[in-house]
Amino acid sequence: MEINDKLTYEEAMQRLKEIVGELERKEVKIDVLSSTVSEAKSLVEFCREKLDSTEDDIKKIIDPEAEGQT
Amino acid sequence: MEINDKLTYEEAMQRLKEIVGELERKEVKIDVLSSTVSEAKSLVEFCREKLDSTEDDIKKIIDPEAEGQT
Amino acid sequence: MEINDKLTYEEAMQRLKEIVGELERKEVKIDVLSSTVSEAKSLVEFCREKLDSTEDDIKKIIDPEAEGQT
Amino acid sequence: MEINDKLTYEEAMQRLKEIVGELERKEVKIDVLSSTVSEAKSLVEFCREKLDSTEDDIKKIIDPEAEGQT
Amino acid sequence: MEINDKLTYEEAMQRLKEIVGELERKEVKIDVLSSTVSEAKSLVEFCREKLDSTEDDIKKIIDPEAEGQT
Amino acid sequence: MEINDKLTYEEAMQRLKEIVGELERKEVKIDVLSSTVSEAKSLVEFCREKLDSTEDDIKKIIDPEAEGQT
Amino acid sequence: MAQNRKVYSLSQLNQSLENHFTTKFGERTFWVTAEVIKVNAKNGNFYLELADSKNNTMTAKSSATLWSRNYRVIQDQVGATELQGILKPGNNVLFALKITYHPVYGLKLNILDIDPAYSYGAIEKRRQEVIEKLRAAQLLDKQKSLKLPAIIKRIALIGSPDTSGFTDFNDELFSNHAFNKFVIKVFPVRVQGEQAVPELISAVKEAACFDADVIVILRGGGSKMDLAIFDNFDLANTIASSRLPVLTGIGHETDRVVADLVAHSFFKTPTAVAAYIHYAIASYKEIMGDLYDRIIHRAQRLISVEREEFNHINRYLQHHSGTMIQYWRTQFQQFENEVITAATSIVHASKRTQDNTIHQLIYQVERTVQDHQNEVDRMLEDIKVNAVHLIDQERKFSIVQRIDQIRSHSINQLERYAVVLENYNDLLDMLNPHKMLMEGYTISTIEGTDVQDVAGALTGQTLKTLTSKQLITSEIKAVKNTTKEDGNQR
């Protein structure tokens, strides 16, 4: 899955869940295992950043005065 | 929810409670979380102003002479 | 409640009691709170004037000679 | 209570006492307070005249010669 | 089967399965038995190394800070 | 049949089967009977050694650490 | 009969009868009861006719004489009035008498004495009976419930106008100067004799219809026997039932007559009745005078009390209407305060609700983000665990299994080959003819064929026989068949 600006958190999470499912069901070939894990890792990073930025946004919205502090 | 002159305090509070409910039930997607929070923030501001103005009105009605003081 | 010449003191008091009751039971919405308080204030003024005029009337009736004094 | 020739002192006094009683028990509505007091005042006048004339009559009976004096 | 860089884990495993099949079906002549076993052994080694390297890759991807430790 | 390094197990066994067959069918001339029997014995020995050495080879391939033990 | 008759003159006969009575009864006194039928008085002497009756039939009758001499004696004992009352027709009397016979006047009963108790007893007995009857009919106290007017002005007067009692009453009544405006309606009646009772009854009934304050019945004295007419039941009934109060003035000394008992009030004499009427009027006037003063006093006091009460009420009116207005003013202030308090409280409560909502919102948002972070972390961990697990599985099962399979299958194959080889070896051993030759067996062939397999005649053929040590070539001279089985044996 390509990670670009159009990717949403939901889509990323959906893909992540799929990967976990495939792993659980042992549907991933050993030959592509590391690349799959690599993709998952990228998605996780993407989600994490998305969450962090959302949290920042929310803090700014809720408490605009505290913007400079955190 | 659009915040305009026709919006009542009751409706605003109702919407706020709905938003809290949706959050509690985890029905809000991360992708729209900050916009939802932004809406809530606007509603809160709206309600706060409504309450403040109501309080002022009441004070003026009860004690018209004190109008200039508060 | 419209305050006009046909309004009696009893009706005004009745309405006042209702308003106090509704306020105590917190049945008044914030949206109409200031208008309700305003109505109550008007009723109080109405009753107070009614009392004042009644008191004057009674003084005149009971002690007609003192009419000019008070 | 209509004050006419058929009204007796007893009836007038009875009504007066009723009025005082109602006033004491705060059973008189403010709307009719001044008219009630007005009625009472009329009854008081009626009774006072009745008493005065009765006293004159008695004086005449006791001392018929003094009739012209009082 | 030549063991080179182009060989995949899947192909290696496939060949291994074939060898096992042949052995089971007693299609291997005694004269080539040891060389066949030798081939199998090589394939196993290849797979094992593939697995080890994949595991390392995964660990590095998932937990890059721990790279130096393991 | 000459027993040398080029002789395969398969060829040896083939020859052995032929000899046994001839013996059974009494096709062996009395004159060559003993030499034939002697040849068969040699083939049996050859095969036996081949089997033993192959087993050793396999064991060494599969379980190289156990080499010194057996 | 005429010859034998002894003729007496009447004088002789009567003389003889007189002698007989004198001898027979002489001075003897008899007590005899009889009813007086008739009384005639002449020159102080009383000539009575006495009788006795049973079941209304006369059973005896005699004339009797009370000589004036005896009369006076009796009168001294009984009293003149009483004696006159007793000696009246219809009365039963107990007489003491002597029987005399006079040649000229015939048989005479000469009354010597009278026992009045006998006559009185009869009256009294009758009176008690009437009283009982009245009591039973509840008539005795009927008149007592009537109210006597304070001033008795109109009087229905029943009595005999010529009697002294009647005169006494009028004299007493009109002699008083204080009040004499009486209106009297007289109902004249006889108060003795047989007609007295019916006349009295009708008079009372008539008087009751008259517009009078009271009915007065008068009788100026008389003997006990005379007054007995007032014991009559019908008269008593009429009096008791009268709508007007009845006053009686029946002159008597001791006992009351029945009329007295049933009347509203009774007096001993007619004069006493008049005196009472006067007294009542006088005392009423006195009372009235007193009352008048008291009324004036009361009225004045009442007026002042009323004035006071009234002023009081007037003050009360002012006070209470003022209090009431004050009360309502306070009430109001309270309402106003309540409105402010309640309204402010609503605003504050709403603010608190809002603050709560905001807190909840922030909390929920933070929780949502946190949850997602946790989920992402968990996901990564899942991936790692599953990938590593996959590799481990591959290692443990696929590879190890393959090696084991290869090993076991190849070893197995080797073993199987070994078995095949050994089988051939065994077979070879079995087929090796050297072994049989060593045990003493021989192999006989004709031109390379086993002698047993050669067809045709054997005789003359060249037979080669192999032993363990030699190959013998011989010529067959004869053939002898043994058992077929044995033929196969070598």
Side-chain angles (χ1 to χ4, degrees):
Chain A
M1 178 173 262
E2 199 187 349
I3 294 172
N4 58 20
D5 286 355
K6 289 179 184 168
L7 184 65
T8 65
Y9 179 91
E10 288 302 315
E11 289 163 354
M13 279 303 280
Q14 187 56 37
R15 177 71 191 122
L16 269 173
K17 281 174 190 165
E18 281 170 25
I19 291 171
V20 172
E22 287 168 7
L23 284 170
E24 274 174 347
R25 292 189 304 276
K26 310 205 193 312
E27 290 169 4
V28 183
K29 307 285 184 203
I30 294 294
D31 298 305
V32 294
L33 186 59
S34 67
S35 69
T36 301
V37 170
S38 180
E39 184 195 350
K41 173 68 176 177
S42 299
L43 288 167
V44 164
E45 287 307 317
F46 171 81
C47 287
R48 231 176 230 154
E49 277 165 25
K50 198 91 181 179
L51 282 177
D52 286 347
S53 71
T54 302
E55 199 171 21
D56 280 357
D57 287 353
I58 291 167
K59 277 183 185 156
K60 280 173 199 159
I61 292 162
I62 289 178
D63 204 1
E65 296 81 15
E67 195 177 351
Q69 299 173 10
T70 47
Chain B
M1 177 174 262
E2 200 187 348
I3 294 172
N4 57 20
D5 287 355
K6 289 179 184 168
L7 183 66
T8 66
Y9 178 89
E10 290 300 316
E11 289 164 354
M13 276 307 280
Q14 188 55 36
R15 177 71 191 122
L16 262 177
K17 281 174 188 168
E18 278 172 27
I19 289 172
V20 171
E22 286 168 8
L23 283 169
E24 272 177 342
R25 294 189 301 274
K26 308 201 195 311
E27 290 170 3
V28 182
K29 308 283 184 204
I30 290 293
D31 298 306
V32 296
L33 186 59
S34 65
S35 69
T36 302
V37 170
S38 181
E39 185 195 347
K41 175 68 177 176
S42 300
L43 289 166
V44 164
E45 289 304 319
F46 171 82
C47 287
R48 195 170 270 155
E49 279 165 23
K50 198 92 180 178
L51 280 180
D52 287 346
S53 71
T54 301
E55 199 171 20
D56 279 358
D57 287 352
I58 291 169
K59 278 181 186 157
K60 280 174 200 159
I61 291 162
I62 301 277
D63 201 1
E65 296 81 16
E67 195 176 351
Q69 299 172 10
T70 47
Chain C
M1 178 175 261
E2 201 188 347
I3 294 173
N4 57 21
D5 288 355
K6 289 179 183 168
L7 183 67
T8 66
Y9 180 89
E10 287 303 314
E11 289 164 353
M13 278 304 282
Q14 189 54 37
R15 178 70 191 123
L16 259 179
K17 281 177 189 167
E18 281 171 25
I19 290 173
V20 170
E22 285 168 9
L23 284 170
E24 276 173 352
R25 293 189 302 276
K26 310 216 188 305
E27 290 171 3
V28 182
K29 306 285 183 203
I30 291 291
D31 297 305
V32 295
L33 185 59
S34 63
S35 67
T36 302
V37 171
S38 180
E39 187 194 347
K41 176 68 176 175
S42 300
L43 289 166
V44 164
E45 288 306 317
F46 171 81
C47 287
R48 200 169 263 152
E49 279 164 23
K50 197 91 180 179
L51 276 183
D52 286 346
S53 70
T54 303
E55 195 172 23
D56 280 357
D57 287 353
I58 291 169
K59 276 182 185 158
K60 280 173 200 160
I61 292 162
I62 290 179
D63 203 1
E65 295 81 15
E67 194 177 350
Q69 300 172 9
T70 46
Chain D
M1 178 175 262
E2 202 190 346
I3 295 174
N4 56 20
D5 287 356
K6 289 179 184 168
L7 183 66
T8 66
Y9 179 88
E10 287 303 313
E11 289 163 354
M13 276 305 278
Q14 187 55 36
R15 178 71 190 124
L16 264 176
K17 280 176 189 168
E18 280 171 26
I19 290 171
V20 171
E22 285 168 7
L23 283 170
E24 271 180 338
R25 294 189 302 273
K26 309 206 194 315
E27 289 171 3
V28 183
K29 309 284 185 202
I30 292 292
D31 296 306
V32 294
L33 184 59
S34 64
S35 67
T36 302
V37 171
S38 180
E39 184 196 347
K41 177 67 178 176
S42 300
L43 289 166
V44 162
E45 289 306 318
F46 171 82
C47 286
R48 194 172 269 153
E49 280 166 22
K50 199 92 179 178
L51 278 182
D52 286 349
S53 72
T54 304
E55 200 169 24
D56 279 0
D57 287 354
I58 291 169
K59 278 181 185 159
K60 279 175 201 160
I61 292 163
I62 293 175
D63 201 0
E65 293 81 16
E67 197 176 347
Q69 298 172 8
T70 46
Chain E
M1 180 174 259
E2 197 185 350
I3 294 173
N4 57 20
D5 286 353
K6 289 179 183 168
L7 183 65
T8 66
Y9 180 88
E10 288 301 314
E11 289 164 354
M13 279 305 281
Q14 188 55 39
R15 176 74 192 121
L16 266 176
K17 279 176 192 165
E18 283 170 24
I19 291 169
V20 171
E22 287 168 7
L23 284 170
E24 270 178 341
R25 292 190 304 277
K26 309 197 196 324
E27 289 169 5
V28 183
K29 308 286 184 202
I30 291 296
D31 300 305
V32 293
L33 185 59
S34 67
S35 69
T36 301
V37 169
S38 181
E39 185 195 351
K41 174 68 177 177
S42 297
L43 288 167
V44 163
E45 285 310 315
F46 170 81
C47 286
R48 201 171 262 155
E49 277 165 25
K50 198 86 179 180
L51 283 177
D52 286 347
S53 71
T54 303
E55 193 172 21
D56 278 358
D57 286 354
I58 289 168
K59 280 182 182 158
K60 278 174 199 158
I61 291 161
I62 289 186
D63 215 358
E65 296 83 14
E67 196 177 350
Q69 298 172 10
T70 46
Chain F
M1 179 175 260
E2 197 186 352
I3 294 172
N4 56 19
D5 284 354
K6 289 178 183 170
L7 182 65
T8 66
Y9 183 89
E10 290 300 317
E11 290 163 352
M13 274 305 283
Q14 191 55 40
R15 180 70 194 126
L16 199 57
K17 281 177 190 168
E18 285 171 22
I19 293 168
V20 171
E22 286 167 8
L23 284 172
E24 275 176 340
R25 290 188 305 274
K26 298 187 189 2
E27 289 169 5
V28 184
K29 305 285 181 204
I30 294 294
D31 309 303
V32 292
L33 187 60
S34 65
S35 68
T36 301
V37 169
S38 178
E39 185 193 350
K41 278 289 174 192
S42 296
L43 286 168
V44 166
E45 281 312 309
F46 172 81
C47 284
R48 222 174 240 154
E49 277 167 23
K50 198 83 177 184
L51 280 179
D52 286 346
S53 72
T54 304
E55 193 173 13
D56 279 357
D57 287 352
I58 289 169
K59 279 182 182 161
K60 277 175 199 157
I61 292 161
I62 288 181
D63 212 0
E65 296 83 13
E67 196 176 352
Q69 298 172 10
T70 44
Chain G
M1 176 114 167
Q3 289 86 8
N4 291 338
R5 73 169 69 142
K6 188 181 173 183
V7 178
Y8 299 99
S9 69
L10 184 63
S11 299
Q12 281 176 312
L13 176 70
N14 284 4
Q15 192 62 54
S16 170
L17 281 170
E18 187 184 12
N19 287 337
H20 178 77
F21 270 99
T22 308
T23 315
K24 191 76 180 176
F25 299 107
E27 291 303 307
R28 217 171 137 193
T29 303
F30 295 91
W31 285 96
V32 172
T33 61
E35 186 184 345
V36 178
I37 301 296
K38 210 186 237 175
V39 181
N40 284 314
K42 201 175 179 183
N43 302 326
N45 299 322
F46 286 79
Y47 302 96
L48 296 91
E49 244 176 54
L50 303 178
D52 211 358
S53 57
K54 201 173 184 181
N55 301 328
N56 289 326
T57 308
M58 195 174 284
T59 52
K61 188 178 175 185
S62 288
S63 298
T65 313
L66 176 57
W67 301 112
S68 61
R69 171 179 80 248
N70 288 333
Y71 185 86
R72 279 193 296 275
V73 172
I74 296 167
Q75 187 178 260
D76 288 346
Q77 289 168 6
V78 179
T81 320
E82 287 307 314
L83 187 53
Q84 277 171 31
I86 291 167
L87 292 179
K88 274 189 176 162
N91 290 346
N92 281 307
V93 184
L94 178 57
F95 298 103
L97 48 78
K98 280 188 174 168
I99 303 164
T100 59
Y101 189 82
H102 192 274
V104 176
Y105 304 106
L107 187 70
K108 281 283 184 212
L109 301 175
N110 185 14
I111 295 167
L112 301 175
D113 202 353
I114 288 169
D115 187 350
Y118 177 78
S119 304
Y120 295 162
I123 293 168
E124 188 58 32
K125 193 183 168 205
R126 218 165 37 237
R127 176 186 292 160
Q128 290 304 327
E129 284 168 6
V130 169
I131 288 170
E132 272 313 307
K133 209 170 157 190
L134 287 168
R135 182 173 289 136
Q138 292 183 326
L139 291 166
L140 271 181
D141 293 326
K142 207 173 171 191
Q143 273 272 312
K144 305 291 190 288
S145 62
L146 296 175
K147 199 172 178 238
L148 213 54
I151 295 175
I152 299 167
K153 259 171 83 178
R154 291 181 299 277
I155 300 166
L157 189 59
I158 297 170
S160 183
D162 298 332
T163 58
S164 61
F166 200 88
T167 317
D168 290 348
F169 177 81
N170 277 319
D171 287 352
E172 178 65 26
L173 199 61
F174 290 103
S175 68
N176 195 302
H177 291 288
F179 187 88
N180 47 20
K181 298 171 189 164
F182 295 105
V183 177
I184 296 178
K185 169 75 178 173
V186 177
F187 296 90
V189 291
R190 275 173 280 185
V191 291
Q192 59 186 5
E194 285 177 21
Q195 287 306 308
V197 169
E199 279 183 21
L200 276 164
I201 288 170
S202 59
V204 171
K205 282 180 175 167
E206 210 178 319
C209 301
F210 184 65
D211 178 25
D213 297 322
V214 291
I215 295 170
V216 174
I217 299 172
L218 296 177
R219 168 73 158 93
S223 75
K224 285 186 180 179
M225 303 305 284
D226 289 337
L227 296 180
I229 59 168
F230 291 103
D231 291 334
N232 181 279
F233 175 78
D234 292 332
L235 177 59
N237 188 6
T238 308
I239 290 169
S241 306
S242 165
R243 111 189 136 79
L244 294 174
V246 177
L247 304 181
T248 56
I250 297 164
H252 48 70
E253 292 301 321
T254 51
D255 295 328
R256 280 179 280 170
V257 292
V258 174
D260 285 341
L261 291 174
V262 296
H264 182 280
S265 302
F266 75 94
F267 301 91
K268 289 198 165 178
T269 57
T271 312
V273 178
Y276 168 76
I277 290 169
H278 267 299
Y279 172 76
I281 289 168
S283 58
Y284 180 73
K285 275 197 166 176
E286 198 176 325
I287 288 164
M288 286 311 284
D290 188 34
L291 273 178
Y292 179 72
D293 290 345
R294 276 159 68 189
I295 284 163
I296 298 288
H297 181 66
R298 278 275 180 88
Q300 283 171 333
R301 240 184 62 194
L302 199 63
I303 286 171
S304 70
V305 167
E306 286 290 327
R307 259 192 216 293
E308 208 170 306
E309 184 170 359
F310 188 66
N311 288 331
H312 208 52
I313 285 172
N314 206 5
R315 280 196 301 276
Y316 256 47
L317 274 178
Q318 289 178 43
H319 172 72
H320 282 306
S321 50
T323 308
M324 196 149 135
I325 286 175
Q326 196 50 48
Y327 168 78
W328 282 112
R329 267 194 213 290
T330 316
Q331 198 83 335
F332 252 126
Q333 194 54 50
Q334 215 173 316
F335 278 136
E336 204 171 354
N337 289 339
E338 277 171 18
V339 168
I340 298 166
T341 311
T344 312
S345 140
I346 287 175
V347 172
H348 286 167
S350 297
K351 279 191 175 171
R352 274 198 302 277
T353 307
Q354 226 201 351
D355 287 349
N356 277 343
T357 311
I358 294 164
H359 283 143
Q360 265 179 298
L361 187 72
I362 292 169
Y363 170 76
Q364 290 298 345
V365 168
E366 281 172 355
R367 215 191 61 167
T368 303
V369 173
Q370 192 59 49
D371 282 355
H372 279 277
Q373 275 171 348
N374 289 342
E375 194 179 358
V376 169
D377 288 349
R378 207 165 51 237
M379 207 82 90
L380 188 60
E381 188 62 25
D382 274 358
I383 289 165
K384 181 184 167 188
V385 168
N386 277 303
V388 171
H389 181 71
L390 193 64
I391 292 166
D392 276 350
Q393 284 266 316
E394 206 62 29
R395 254 199 214 111
K396 268 183 203 147
F397 295 100
S398 306
I399 296 174
V400 173
Q401 205 182 342
R402 295 280 176 272
I403 293 172
D404 283 349
Q405 278 173 338
I406 290 163
R407 183 204 281 130
S408 65
H409 287 311
S410 45
I411 298 291
N412 183 268
Q413 204 164 351
L414 284 173
E415 280 168 357
R416 285 181 63 88
Y417 278 106
V419 170
V420 171
L421 185 66
E422 289 311 317
N423 278 346
Y424 278 107
N425 193 32
D426 289 349
L427 201 57
L428 201 60
D429 283 348
M430 238 162 44
L431 293 172
N432 192 351
H434 281 292
K435 226 173 168 181
M436 288 182 289
L437 297 175
M438 291 297 282
E439 285 167 11
Y441 291 97
T442 59
I443 299 167
S444 298
T445 56
I446 297 168
E447 291 172 356
T449 306
D450 195 326
V451 75
Q452 290 176 79
D453 299 331
V454 175
L458 297 175
T459 312
Q461 299 267 33
T462 303
L463 181 75
K464 282 183 179 176
T465 301
L466 185 69
T467 69
S468 59
K469 289 171 183 157
Q470 300 151 312
L471 179 64
I472 305 161
T473 305
S474 54
E475 194 175 328
I476 299 172
K477 299 261 175 101
V479 177
K480 185 191 176 185
N481 276 346
T482 57
T483 58
K484 207 166 185 179
E485 284 83 7
D486 289 339
N488 282 335
Q489 293 268 300
R490 285 173 200 153

